[in-house]
Amino acid sequence: MYDPTVARLTYRALLGRRRALILCALPVLLIAISALVRGLTGADDQIAADVLGGFALATMVPIIGVIAGTGAIGPEIDDGSVVYLLAKPIKRPTIIFTKLIVAIAVTMVFSAVPTLVAGLILNENGQQIAVAYTIAALVASIAYAALFLLLGTITRHAVVFGLVYALVWEALFGSLVAGARTLSVQQWSLAVAHKVAGGDLITSDVGLPLATVLLAGVTVLATWYAGQKLRTLKLAGEE
């Protein structure tokens, strides 16, 4: 289910100089903001939770997920080079699964690691806030990578749709419409963070059992359907 050659090519595409600079921008900004806030306010648990929840988990993680998930396959479909990959004797689910692993790894490195560093800067992991949000970022990275990889296989406007979901649906509608939060990867990951940290500093509108089922379900279904769409691309090319 994992092909090293496909993985190497995908890593090379995602971590090229231009895309790597984009991936680094938000983590660097998060750490800079955290250092500034710590210098101005000192160690404060509530402020740490606000910064990590409001910027790291709500903005940085989904945007990096969009870049990594769509970038793992979208450009190959857009420029037609995916035809050469499909011509190789590699099963289509293997291609998708390998690209998903790469997208998850990239998203985790560029989101979870900076979240942990920022949390340690903000309040030195007081009340387990840094660890809780780091675990939430890890969990969210898996679902976001699968969801946005699927978008990369079904539309040429995957980045636009990904940003609409992350910044409009989750950030805007999620803050205005209570029911929308149930269909939010951010809220699902917050349920995990709440379990780790306990207390009232981290809250979620979705219970942990439901959040776990939804995280797993979205990841599995998105990965499966992306594999089916890749089969369709192959058939279209043969015809």
Side-chain angles (χ1 to χ4, degrees):
M1 290 298 291
Y2 181 85
D3 187 274
T5 302
V6 174
R8 184 174 65 253
L9 294 173
T10 307
Y11 274 118
R12 186 180 301 173
L14 286 179
L15 300 178
R17 181 177 301 178
R18 181 179 178 183
R19 188 167 274 121
L21 290 175
I22 298 174
L23 287 169
C24 288
L26 286 174
V28 169
L29 180 59
L30 171 65
I31 293 173
I33 291 174
S34 301
L36 178 62
V37 170
R38 176 62 185 267
L40 293 175
T41 65
D44 186 288
D45 295 342
Q46 183 62 61
I47 292 178
D50 292 341
V51 172
L52 295 180
F55 184 82
L57 194 62
T59 302
M60 183 184 72
V61 179
I63 289 179
I64 290 177
V66 169
I67 297 171
T70 61
I73 196 170
E76 291 176 298
I77 294 177
D78 291 342
D79 63 20
S81 61
V82 72
V83 173
Y84 299 100
L85 183 60
L86 295 178
K88 303 296 181 181
I90 306 174
K91 294 180 179 179
R92 304 306 171 253
T94 297
I95 295 174
I96 289 296
F97 185 75
T98 301
K99 288 182 173 293
L100 175 63
I101 294 299
V102 173
I104 289 173
V106 170
T107 307
M108 285 182 171
V109 169
F110 284 92
S111 61
V113 174
T115 298
L116 177 61
V117 173
L120 294 175
I121 292 173
L122 285 165
N123 76 333
E124 302 173 4
N125 196 36
Q127 299 195 51
Q128 294 292 306
I129 290 175
V131 170
Y133 274 108
T134 299
I135 294 175
L138 290 171
V139 170
S141 295
I142 299 173
Y144 280 132
L147 184 61
F148 298 137
L149 178 65
L150 171 61
L151 285 178
T153 65
I154 63 178
T155 176
R156 292 180 179 271
H157 306 291
V159 173
V160 175
F161 285 114
L163 291 176
V164 167
Y165 171 78
L167 301 180
V168 177
W169 177 266
E170 289 200 341
L172 180 59
F173 283 95
S175 63
L176 299 176
V177 183
R181 298 169 195 159
T182 305
L183 301 177
S184 167
V185 175
Q186 177 188 342
Q187 290 296 322
W188 306 342
S189 59
L190 279 174
V192 178
H194 173 72
K195 177 65 176 180
V196 174
D200 298 325
L201 287 175
I202 304 176
T203 60
S204 173
D205 290 344
V206 182
L208 182 61
L210 178 59
T212 303
V213 171
L214 290 172
L215 284 166
V218 164
T219 301
V220 171
L221 288 176
T223 304
W224 173 80
Y225 192 60
Q228 298 303 306
K229 293 299 294 183
L230 205 59
R231 284 198 178 96
T232 303
L233 286 174
K234 175 188 175 184
L235 294 174
E238 290 178 345
E239 291 173 356

